[in-house]
Amino acid sequence: GRSEPSSSQLLGRISASQFPSDCAHRPLLVFAYVNPELSGHGSMFGHLAVALSAAVLSGRTLVVDEDAPWPFAECKFSGGCPGGFMHTYFQPLSSCSTADISDTESVWPLGHHSQEHRVVRVADDTALPQFRTMIPLDLAVGPDTQQELALLNWISALQSFLLRPSAHLQQLVDSAKHKIQLPSRYIGMHIRRGHKWVETAAQPLASYLEMAKNFSTTTGITNALVATEDAGVVSELQAEAERAGIAFYFTDNPRPSLRISIPQGIRLGILSAAVENEVSLVNLVLLRDAEAFIGTFSSGYSKRVLELQAGRQRGSPLHVSLDHVWSP
């Protein structure tokens, strides 16, 4: 029977699609930041991965429009990321760019007749859902449970390609790790608070603690990195550390615990795009390197952590979601 492609083979396939020999004639899919008023890093990276999947599966190369509006990308115009958001924080996605589109060339929205046009653009999630669960044919083998794992393998390969830290981001990650003296082995926890109450009820901290103790018993790991925007969570976990037998680590950043969304806070000038990018992306990379993960998959950020861990570990990592099941 057929054997499924390995993670490295999937990454090679994605890279070949993204670095063609000729960008002037290559069919392109231009990604403008989808739902910019609402999307944080987690949901935007989810849209980006689906767009990359659509590009690879339809014989196109994905390029990002770095001038498209998104609060987190405003750092391009305020000096925080002068080369653009993706250019600043991640390694190059492609040898092609929007500069390969002539001023006279028509750009059409991604849709049913996309194949007729060299350049198509996605600026909202109207067309993206049809690509959300598509996978390469050579991954589409076996029963439903294997299909779910195949989808996770594909999405994790896409995210692992997209979110390769730039030298700048890696330096920020290394600095944060050194500053908090993060051990080499740790459990990752993402405890979402703040504006998330608008979408879904927050899970009690006791549930996170219970799972952290279970994972610690299973793995022998007694350290946990916690990503949270709530200062109250930090103080509560620190108070529980000795009783739980777990040392909790947190990156050193301000936690204003706003009851509005972070994108809205940036738009209002309450928060800095550059600061929020660094806090979120540093924690994302650190959580990627954890050996197990506790989060809530109602959060796109938690889902991205699982996908990146799966890419790192080349399989489904030890994890639990305290609310929803995983989906792209």
Side-chain angles (χ1 to χ4, degrees), residues 99-112:
D100 295 302
I101 306 168
S102 70
D103 293 337
T104 59
E105 194 164 9
S106 298
V107 179
W108 295 80
L110 177 67
H112 295 299

Side-chain angles (χ1 to χ4, degrees), residues 87-120:
H87 175 84
T88 298
Y89 297 110
F90 301 103
Q91 293 181 36
L93 296 185
S94 178
S95 52
C96 307
S97 72
T98 52
D100 295 302
I101 306 168
S102 70
D103 293 337
T104 59
E105 194 164 9
S106 298
V107 179
W108 295 80
L110 177 67
H112 295 299
H113 302 290
S114 295
Q115 292 302 110
E116 301 172 12
H117 310 289
R118 186 181 88 89
V119 183
V120 297

Side-chain angles (χ1 to χ4, degrees), residues 11 26 28-29 85 93 110 141 146 151 175 203 275 327:
L11 285 170
R26 172 74 173 174
L28 302 178
L29 193 163
F85 175 84
L93 296 185
L110 177 67
V141 295
Q146 290 184 5
L151 180 59
S175 176
Q203 298 300 310
V275 170
S327 63

Side-chain angles (χ1 to χ4, degrees), residues 26-46:
R26 172 74 173 174
L28 302 178
L29 193 163
V30 180
F31 181 85
Y33 296 112
V34 172
N35 294 341
E37 300 301 310
L38 300 174
S39 293
H41 293 114
S43 57
M44 190 61 76
F45 295 154

Side-chain angles (χ1 to χ4, degrees), residues 22 26 32 42 124 137 143 146 160 167 188 193 217 224 253-254 264 276 293 301:
D22 176 17
R26 172 74 173 174
D124 58 43
L137 287 175
Q146 290 184 5
S160 297
R193 291 290 188 266
T217 300
N253 55 266
Q264 188 176 1
E276 292 304 315
F293 179 63
Y301 191 93

